[in-house]
Amino acid sequence: MAETDIITAAELRLERLLDAPVDTVWQYIVDPELRAQWFMGGGIEPRVGGRIEMVFDHDRLSDDDVPMPDRYAPNRGKRWHETITAIAPPTMIAFSWSGGEAGTVTITLVDAGDGRTRLKLHHTGLRGPDDARNFGGGWMSHLDVLEARVAGRRVPDFWALHARSEAEAAAAVETSA
């Protein structure tokens, strides 16, 4: 967890400094194949009201042969879509989560100089501590993978990152309560 990260029962504010220019990071958000390397792939209609498809294929996130934990295995291959609520290429995209029932995710990219990008992720409208722990752990681990991918580094075990991020998110929720 970055020292700038904020996790409460109502919202997540996560920030990462990435070793790639804004245009490159933007491609990792909107290009389905690049997005599948750090989060979830799926088609996208990059306009307000457009769909962003989510395809749960987390077996692709680890470079080593790592088994998916049993509790996530039923999600393998699951597909759904969210709705883009705002977009300003190449610096901002916002989309619903769980059809809006679990809030909205906004990702903002800022040029940080020297070919780097400051990524800010703000997930608002969480339904309480369980969402904060779940989505906090998920987003933190996925952003760790994004950070590695744009820098050309390997990700040996996504699930180890995820377990650590879940524990950090749970501790942050307890602290903010």
Side-chain angles (χ1 to χ4, degrees):
M1 188 164 144
E3 62 185 54
T4 56
D5 290 350
I6 297 170
I7 298 176
T8 70
E11 70 176 341
L12 309 171
R13 288 183 180 270
L14 309 176
E15 191 172 309
R16 298 293 181 274
L17 183 61
L18 305 176
D19 285 328
V22 168
D23 287 338
T24 299
V25 176
W26 181 254
Q27 288 307 307
Y28 272 87
I29 294 169
V30 298
D31 179 282
E33 186 57 35
L34 292 174
R35 188 166 19 96
Q37 293 177 24
W38 69 276
F39 179 47
M40 288 188 259
I44 184 170
E45 300 166 352
R47 59 177 172 74
V48 173
R51 291 178 166 206
I52 182 168
E53 184 180 25
M54 303 292 172
V55 180
F56 192 99
D57 188 11
H58 287 23
D59 290 319
R60 297 181 62 179
L61 302 180
S62 299
D63 291 323
D64 292 349
D65 187 17
V66 177
M68 184 180 295
D70 290 342
R71 71 181 180 146
Y72 294 103
N75 294 323
R76 186 180 276 121
K78 181 179 175 186
R79 294 174 172 266
W80 73 96
H81 76 274
E82 299 297 344
T83 302
I84 296 173
T85 58
I87 188 167
T91 59
M92 190 275 295
I93 187 168
F95 49 90
S96 62
W97 199 259
S98 297
E101 291 178 24
T104 301
V105 177
T106 303
I107 299 172
T108 306
L109 306 177
V110 178
D111 184 338
D114 297 324
R116 296 178 304 163
T117 300
R118 184 161 310 282
L119 179 148
K120 298 177 181 184
L121 184 144
H122 190 197
H123 190 154
T124 58
L126 300 179
R127 298 168 288 199
D130 288 342
D131 272 4
R133 284 188 287 273
N134 179 32
F135 298 137
W139 283 121
M140 286 192 305
S141 57
H142 286 294
L143 292 179
D144 286 348
V145 175
L146 176 60
E147 186 175 0
R149 297 290 184 221
V150 300
R153 293 191 315 267
R154 294 183 79 249
V155 177
D157 185 347
F158 168 76
W159 293 108
L161 291 174
H162 191 267
R164 184 192 75 222
S165 294
E166 277 188 322
E168 291 175 352
V173 170
E174 295 305 315
T175 303
S176 72

